[in-house]
Each structure stands twice: as C-alpha cells, then as structure tokens.
Amino acid sequence: KQEVTQIPAALSVPEGENLVLNCSFTDSAIYNLQWFRQDPGKGLTSLLLIQSSQREQTSGRLNASLDKSSGRSTLYIAASQPGDSATYLCAVNNQAGTALIFGKGTTLSVSS
Amino acid sequence: DTAVSQTPKYLVTQMGNDKSIKCEQNLGHDTMYWYKQDSKKFLKIMFSYNNKELIINETVPNRFSPKSPDKAHLNLHINSLELGDSAVYFCASSQDLGRREAFFGQGTRLTVV
C-alpha cells in the first residue's frame, strides 16, 4: 500500500531564505507526482506536476525534483516571501492514474 | 470562471439527516473525484469517476453515494449523517484518469451536530 511522508511537518524561516521541502513514497510504481499549496480554509492550488519519466519541473521560484527509484521528491522554494506561507502537500498518482495519495503536508511560515 | 466549483461551502446539520454536496467542473475533464480531509488535515480519496463510471470506491461506507449525471458533474449524497462524517470534502477533476494535473474545488466544510 502506497504511503507518502513529508518532512518536516512544519518549518519557519525568515524572508529571503531558500528552502527545501521533502516528500518520500514507498512504492515507486507511480504515474506522476504533484505538489499543491493549501491556504487556511481554502482549496488546493496545483503548483507543479512531474510525470514519472521526468526528473524535475520548474515554475518561477519553485523547482520540484523526482527520483522515482529512491521514492523521493523535493520542492525547492527560492527567495521565500511571507506570501509563501501555507501548507504544501505532496501527492503521488497511482500507476493506474485513478487516485492521488497525499502526504500530511509541511506547514511553512515565512516571517518578514 | 471557477474551474471546479462546489456548493455549499459550509453545511451544518444534525445527526441522522441526509444531505448532498454538488460539484461542477467547466474544464472539459473526463475524471472527477471526491476527497475527504479529516480533522488532522489528512486528505484521502473517496471516489473516482471516469466518463461517468465509478472507478474507485475507497472503503467508504455505503451511506455515501456519488452520482454523476454527466461528465461535468459529480454530486455526493450522504445518508444518515454521523458525527464522524464531520470533515472538509473536496471535489477535484483531471483529464484522462490523472495523466494531467488535478484541479480542486474550494471544499465543503460539513459539520454534524
């Protein structure tokens, strides 16, 4: 059974710092991996999608990497801003593509 | 235009009642989902529908019945509500059974009293 773990559970950094959020999964037979952002009381916003054949994806200050064989992904946030404060969720799509399996998230707080 | 919209946003109801949550997507996607986020903020799949057909029913009590009248809609009906059903329910959609990114609605916070 696929399990997704995110470390750390919470992270506080000063504005301007570069940071890395970690995600690991137990079954490497995934279709793709998606990073989301969730603001308090809001829905999920898709940040990046990495297909299983890809190694990384970039969007603005965000860079996500995928090492499928070792069951790991990282989300790199450059030059963090207070507006980046949110919970970041990692989710893997099972090989049939029928469901996302989520980690419990990393809650990020960026102070000005 | 909202891509995935759910109604209502908040729902407070008494134990034993029956309620429905509606979901609509205007993205032209073939696949729709219901996810449940519990009090510890953990998100878990409940149902997956592809082209109006049920693909996954992830050990959800049969008091929960999804209905897909067409590809753009996936409604969730809940019978005989229990206290433990209190959670945030998210509808989502994607193209081609998850090959592309999933888009989520804003969630429905259900409180059973």
Side-chain angles (χ1 to χ4, degrees), chain B:
Chain B
D1 272 350
T2 304
V4 182
S5 58
Q6 298 177 227
T7 53
K9 189 171 180 182
Y10 300 97
L11 186 52
V12 181
T13 187
Q14 290 188 326
M15 273 195 308
N17 283 352
D18 302 339
K19 290 293 177 186
S20 292
I21 305 172
K22 294 186 176 181
C23 178
E24 177 182 5
Q25 54 95 3
N26 63 5
L27 298 166
H29 288 168
D30 291 336
T31 310
M32 295 186 72
Y33 314 84
W34 279 107
Y35 287 85
K36 178 180 179 180
Q37 188 169 43
D38 61 23
S39 57
K40 295 182 179 178
K41 307 294 185 187
F42 186 50
L43 266 161
K44 196 171 177 184
I45 183 71
M46 298 175 69
F47 301 103
S48 298
Y49 264 74
N50 189 53
N51 285 318
K52 302 195 313 174
E53 288 190 20
L54 179 66
I55 303 297
I56 277 188
N57 175 346
E58 195 67 21
T59 61
V60 177
N62 57 16
R63 296 183 295 104
F64 290 78
S65 53
K67 293 257 186 327
S68 182
D70 55 58
K71 286 201 306 184
H73 295 84
L74 181 62
N75 303 322
L76 184 64
H77 188 76
I78 316 169
N79 289 329
S80 303
L81 277 155
E82 300 177 356
L83 293 176
D85 297 332
S86 296
V88 181
Y89 293 85
F90 286 98
C91 177
S93 74
S94 68
Q95 200 165 0
D96 299 340
L97 265 180
R99 288 158 177 72
R100 313 276 177 89
E101 62 188 320
F103 293 87
F104 280 71
Q106 81 279 19
T108 296
R109 181 173 294 278
L110 171 65
T111 303
V112 182
V113 297

Side-chain angles (χ1 to χ4, degrees), chain A:
Chain A
K1 182 184 171 185
Q2 178 75 269
E3 290 184 3
V4 180
T5 303
Q6 291 187 246
I7 294 174
L11 182 62
S12 291
V13 300
E15 183 177 6
E17 204 162 284
N18 301 326
L19 56 102
V20 174
L21 307 182
N22 296 293
C23 172
S24 61
F25 45 95
T26 54
D27 186 348
S28 61
I30 64 169
Y31 205 96
N32 51 44
L33 182 145
Q34 200 166 350
W35 282 93
F36 293 89
R37 167 186 174 137
Q38 185 174 25
D39 293 282
K42 299 286 177 68
L44 279 67
T45 301
S46 177
L47 298 174
L48 289 163
L49 172 72
I50 311 179
Q51 300 293 351
S52 61
S53 58
Q54 296 176 319
R55 297 285 292 187
E56 65 179 306
Q57 281 285 344
T58 298
S59 175
R61 294 182 294 108
L62 305 178
N63 175 278
S65 69
L66 174 64
D67 184 343
K68 201 175 85 155
S69 59
S70 68
R72 292 180 185 173
S73 176
T74 61
L75 180 66
Y76 175 83
I77 303 176
S80 58
Q81 302 170 358
D84 294 331
S85 299
T87 296
Y88 290 81
L89 294 161
C90 168
V92 298
N93 215 323
N94 61 25
Q95 201 164 31
T98 53
L100 285 169
I101 299 150
F102 282 85
K104 294 186 177 180
T106 294
T107 300
L108 173 65
S109 175
V110 182
S111 55
S112 55

